[in-house]
Amino acid sequence: MKLFHVDSSAKREHSNSRALSRQFIDTLRRQGVDVEVDYLDVTVDTPAHVTEAFAIATYRAESERTADMKTTLAASDALCRRLLEADALLFAMPMYNWSMPSVFKAFIDNVTRTGLTYKYSADGQIIGQLSRQKVLFLTTRGADLRAGSPFASMDALTPALKASFGFIGVGEPTFVDAQPLQFSDPQSRAEALVRAQHELADVAAQWAVWERERIAGKELIDA
Ligand SMILES: Cc1cc2nc3c(=O)[nH]c(=O)nc-3n(C[C@H](O)[C@H](O)[C@H](O)COP(=O)(O)O)c2cc1C
């Protein structure tokens, strides 16, 4: 399985989202999945913010782009290719101010590309191109935003991720939201981590089954 793994926490060794995402990959491997990781840390290799040149070039038909426009789009093209070539996508991120880290938003701005991650059908329908990939969003939150909590209505992260990735074809993403990991008592924080680890183990088991079926299907086609 080719897994594109994106980390986006500003923290390093103290980051829960980074630790949980590593644990998820280890569990996948223990389930017998042959995982080939393509890794991107968007806090280190931060995709460029949208510039005027990008805003113009991205909506210009490929055949009409100048050499400068192609240069402007090259890094974004490369990120789109990494997404499209992956079998599975793992996006790990903390919640910052009720939504996503700005570096991850910059990533989304780079991978939402007409002609690459979404295309138009003959009758003008938008067809997202990431419908074949398994997708896991692993989010960490300081507060508890689960249903029933006073903060439940503040979750601007989940709908933003669903909308952005739904547009480029991700139909049924999985969410594992570890919460509350900061603004709570030690016991609640410890329980939240264990809850997330159990959910991640379940997802890893599901992905292992899916991967075995995918490989079996491929072998059947190749035979
Ligand atoms: C700048 C900043 C903003 C944050 N905003 C929120 C927030 O709006 N809601 C929330 O529940 N937690 C918020 N947190 C807490 C983090 O989401 C939480 O600590 C999370 O576990 C961090 O993940 P990490 O350990 O991978 O960095 C914020 C943390 C930082 C540093």
Side-chain angles (χ1 to χ4, degrees), residues 53-54 57 65-78 113:
F54 180 96
R65 282 180 197 145
T66 63
D68 279 354
M69 285 175 173
K70 287 178 187 167
T71 304
T72 297
L73 295 175
S76 153
D77 290 348
R113 287 284 310 281

Side-chain angles (χ1 to χ4, degrees), residues 19-39:
L20 288 169
S21 65
R22 280 195 303 271
Q23 283 170 20
F24 175 72
I25 294 171
D26 288 347
T27 313
L28 259 184
R29 289 192 165 126
R30 275 201 304 277
Q31 294 273 346
V33 180
D34 181 11
V35 189
E36 182 194 330
V37 178
D38 176 13
Y39 182 68

